[in-house]
Amino acid sequence: MDKEIVKAIDTVDLSKPVPVSEPDRQYYFLKKLKAFVKEKEEEYGRKLTFHVTTFGCQMNARDSEKLTGILEYAGYVSVEEENADFVIFNTCTVRDNANQKVYGRLGEIKGFKKKNPHMKLALCGCMMQEEGVILKLKESYPFVDLVFGTHNIFKFAELLVNSYEAKGMIVDIWKDTDQIVEDLPTERKYPFKSGINIMFGCNNFCSYCIVPYVRGRERSREPKDIIREIEGLVKDGVVEIMLLGQNVNSYGKNLENPMSFAQLLQEVEKIEGLERIRFMTSHPKDLSEELIQVMKHSKKICRHLHLPLQAGSDRILKAMNRVYSKEQYLALAKHIREEIPDIAITTDLIVGFPGETLEDVEETIEVVKEVQFDNAFTFIYSKRTGTPAAAMENQVPKEIVKEGFDKLLKVVQDTARERVKLYEGQVMEALVEEVNEQDDTLLTGRLSNNTIVHFPGERDLIGKIVKVKLNSCQGFYYMGEII
Ligand code: SAH
Ligand code: SF4
Ligand code: F3S
């Protein structure tokens, strides 16, 4: 946790009025929360425990680190199990099964809550921004104590204090915001790598997607705030960062002094001690030549580009409001591979968008074969209420979707295996991330191109970059040895 921030919170005078401006207001509530937790510790004769459960994407993972930072500052200790004094679900709603998972877990938590009368349960994140969810929670899950959304997560300390002071469910959901609150405590999951938000929200309104509705309008952080945060992280031992945004290619457009994403990358590259830069996600419609050239000449930007295609048929792409054609995507991918031959291109694909036929899926398969994606996440279309696609009449029958999905998945997997095979026998740098989950004599590392390699080694190498020979390709990963 940032020592400067901790110092600022510790010096707050609780006898003074509650500050109005941020982050001072939250510092006030953090201090108050800490005093409250201490009181409870004395009352129970033990530490208070917490558990954060995260659903969804890297943005949510980063938000959960912010929640964790606040809870740890206040004196809660993290536990593995969901049976803790404070449990929070950071939810996702990109596909309906994400919502179903949350409702399923809530049932379980109800049992824990009956046994531990001190337990508090909070819900936050994208699903809370969705219409109808709050009503359902109030009706069917009244034992939830606190609910907030994506726009006011910075208010977590204040909301938690309110929730301890009040009875019943507290709900605070904002429709949108233009605020970005800096300098709140965060606690990283990995000491050596970290996500960094560079922008929030999305303005693209792909017709199937709920993200613009639950994450609000696009807003970019000031470059100086981003750089300062990364410099702090590097001082604290971070060697790899991932710049996060729903569409990083439109970074900086709405800043007072506009700056392109490629320019931001060049600034980040200058940070001494930082070894690797990743970013997520790029929309093909505005991936610039400037970005390709910056990647090509960079020593730190990883050889990986996640470039969601979604579908290969022009008719479907148009209905999806993706604003590029199959040919444009193919030309872009070809150009990127020519400029940066060792780059891995990965993608997201959707099967079953309204009106999609098996012939359309064939076009997606064609693109997969031609681009030779190094990896692809393949999703079944999920109808999200309130999006334009949900109102389209020609929803695809389940059996047709399944047929197309299975066919596409097979091609995606075969292609990915071929791509991994290409580098067998080579020596590459890997960032050692953890001890192998199945075999503790092995370490697991990540190559610049995002592929995983397992190799024998001591755990003190975790967080270091080592040279590894990729001895054998095992499907989607390698077995190797340090050289
Ligand atoms: N901003 C990112 C994607 C965020 S959501 C981008 O545009 O690339 C991650 C992925 O979820 C999307 O790329 C898409 O493939 C998938 N997705 C989004 N909405 C979906 C839906 N309604 N049904 C199925 N998949 C969906
Ligand atoms: Fe959703 Fe499209 Fe925005 Fe990605 S770019 S978050 S798919 S609306
Ligand atoms: Fe899900 Fe929200 Fe991310 S809907 S995918 S957690 S932006």
Side-chain angles (χ1 to χ4, degrees):
M1 206 174 295
D2 192 322
K3 288 191 193 81
E4 295 294 313
I5 297 174
V6 171
K7 217 169 24 185
I9 305 169
D10 286 343
T11 53
V12 170
D13 181 354
L14 287 180
S15 65
K16 293 225 173 99
V18 186
V20 182
S21 66
E22 299 292 3
D24 294 337
R25 186 177 173 89
Q26 296 315 309
Y27 290 174
Y28 177 93
F29 283 105
L30 270 159
K31 180 126 185 205
K32 199 163 173 185
L33 184 64
K34 193 174 183 176
F36 176 84
V37 169
K38 199 156 184 1
E39 237 172 67
K40 287 282 167 196
E41 269 175 23
E42 277 157 22
E43 189 185 322
Y44 306 164
R46 62 173 176 82
K47 287 270 186 195
L48 266 63
T49 59
F50 80 94
H51 184 91
V52 181
T53 303
T54 313
F55 301 86
C57 65
Q58 311 269 3
M59 312 268 171
N60 260 22
R62 183 63 180 154
D63 282 348
S64 287
E65 292 184 343
K66 296 175 186 170
L67 299 170
T68 302
I70 285 171
L71 290 165
E72 292 199 343
Y73 173 81
Y76 289 88
V77 289
S78 160
V79 287
E80 283 293 317
E81 61 278 5
E82 269 177 4
N83 190 0
D85 295 307
F86 184 78
V87 174
I88 181 159
F89 287 176
N90 189 6
T91 63
C92 169
T93 187
V94 75
R95 286 168 290 274
D96 185 55
N97 55 10
N99 295 40
Q100 295 318 318
K101 266 190 227 158
V102 170
Y103 289 127
R105 289 282 181 88
L106 283 179
E108 252 172 78
I109 298 284
K110 191 176 178 183
F112 295 147
K113 258 200 117 176
K114 271 202 186 123
K115 289 192 198 123
N116 178 2
H118 302 307
M119 182 171 176
K120 259 195 183 296
L121 172 61
L123 296 174
C124 67
C126 295
M127 180 178 156
M128 301 305 119
Q129 296 287 147
E130 204 186 332
E131 236 169 277
V133 167
I134 303 300
L135 201 64
K136 180 158 175 176
L137 289 173
K138 282 188 176 155
E139 273 172 8
S140 310
Y141 305 88
F143 53 91
V144 175
D145 298 285
L146 170 63
V147 182
F148 56 99
T150 54
H151 304 302
N152 54 350
I153 183 167
F154 72 87
K155 265 183 76 183
F156 177 44
E158 178 173 351
L159 291 167
L160 199 49
V161 169
N162 293 349
S163 152
Y164 275 115
E165 284 171 347
K167 276 208 165 59
M169 191 191 290
I170 290 200
V171 178
D172 190 7
I173 307 284
W174 298 3
K175 272 222 164 329
D176 202 347
T177 185
D178 52 13
Q179 232 175 319
I180 298 180
V181 179
E182 299 284 346
D183 296 328
L184 290 174
T186 50
E187 194 59 48
R188 292 193 309 281
K189 192 169 167 206
Y190 297 96
F192 53 87
K193 67 170 186 176
S194 180
I196 318 273
N197 301 102
I198 61 165
M199 56 205 298
F200 302 92
C202 181
N203 286 354
N204 288 319
F205 290 94
C206 303
S207 65
Y208 50 81
C209 184
I210 199 166
V211 171
Y213 305 87
V214 296
R215 285 271 172 179
R217 292 296 59 74
E218 192 178 288
R219 46 213 186 276
S220 298
R221 280 177 77 192
E222 286 294 337
K224 66 169 177 16
D225 291 331
I226 298 169
I227 302 289
R228 191 165 50 106
E229 183 178 355
I230 301 173
E231 284 172 345
L233 289 167
V234 170
K235 256 192 218 132
D236 203 30
V238 166
V239 293
E240 177 179 300
I241 53 148
M242 183 180 275
L243 305 176
L244 300 172
Q246 292 300 349
N247 175 14
V248 291
N249 297 327
S250 63
Y251 170 80
K253 286 189 180 147
N254 52 8
L255 287 171
E256 219 171 282
N257 299 308
M259 179 187 226
S260 70
F261 178 55
Q263 286 169 328
L264 177 70
L265 278 173
Q266 284 170 298
E267 292 305 310
V268 173
E269 174 118 17
K270 289 182 195 152
I271 298 174
E272 230 168 278
L274 179 66
E275 311 242 13
R276 278 182 167 186
I277 305 168
R278 297 184 184 277
F279 55 86
M280 197 67 137
T281 297
S282 285
H283 194 304
K285 80 175 157 74
D286 41 23
L287 190 142
S288 66
E289 182 60 28
E290 186 195 14
L291 175 63
I292 298 171
Q293 293 310 318
V294 167
M295 285 185 86
K296 180 176 173 175
H297 295 108
S298 166
K299 297 210 161 42
K300 296 186 179 176
I301 303 173
C302 288
R303 289 318 200 216
H304 176 212
L305 185 67
H306 187 65
L307 194 64
L309 165 71
Q310 313 300 1
S313 135
D314 283 343
R315 194 173 51 86
I316 297 299
L317 283 170
K318 189 151 199 277
M320 283 178 162
N321 190 29
R322 289 292 289 182
V323 214
Y324 53 82
S325 67
K326 177 185 177 186
E327 284 313 314
Q328 281 169 329
Y329 188 97
L330 285 172
L332 180 62
K334 184 164 174 247
H335 177 59
I336 294 166
R337 286 223 194 272
E338 277 165 6
E339 290 293 308
I340 316 170
D342 57 344
I343 203 164
I345 304 181
T346 59
T347 202
D348 291 344
L349 304 168
I350 299 177
V351 180
F353 182 86
E356 192 179 51
T357 62
L358 288 172
E359 288 78 61
D360 292 321
V361 179
E362 283 303 327
E363 294 212 50
T364 309
I365 290 175
E366 256 176 51
V367 182
V368 173
K369 285 186 176 159
E370 190 164 337
V371 175
Q372 290 278 298
F373 288 116
D374 295 80
N375 203 353
F377 296 104
T378 312
F379 303 110
I380 288 182
Y381 167 74
S382 172
K383 188 173 169 174
R384 310 310 294 131
T385 310
T387 62
M392 293 179 186
E393 271 166 14
N394 40 3
Q395 305 284 325
V396 184
K398 270 206 180 92
E399 319 76 67
I400 304 281
V401 177
K402 175 125 193 0
E403 194 182 329
F405 181 85
D406 290 348
K407 219 170 155 193
L408 175 62
L409 188 66
K410 187 167 181 310
V411 179
V412 159
Q413 290 181 338
D414 290 347
T415 314
R417 269 190 285 265
E418 277 171 41
R419 291 290 305 174
V420 177
K421 193 100 188 143
L422 276 184
Y423 299 104
E424 198 176 43
Q426 294 200 9
V427 175
M428 284 192 187
E429 286 187 341
L431 172 60
V432 185
E433 294 198 335
E434 57 199 2
V435 173
N436 184 293
E437 275 172 23
Q438 268 99 45
D439 177 350
D440 66 9
T441 65
L442 296 179
L443 297 172
T444 297
R446 192 179 296 271
L447 305 176
S448 172
N449 68 14
N450 214 34
T451 312
I452 294 291
V453 55
H454 306 288
F455 48 89
E458 298 299 326
R459 63 171 61 220
D460 60 357
L461 288 174
I462 291 176
K464 305 241 158 51
I465 292 179
V466 295
K467 280 208 155 78
V468 181
K469 178 146 193 241
L470 311 172
N471 288 334
S472 69
C473 154
Q474 311 274 324
F476 306 118
Y477 61 88
Y478 302 100
M479 298 304 294
E481 63 185 317
I482 297 180
I483 60 159

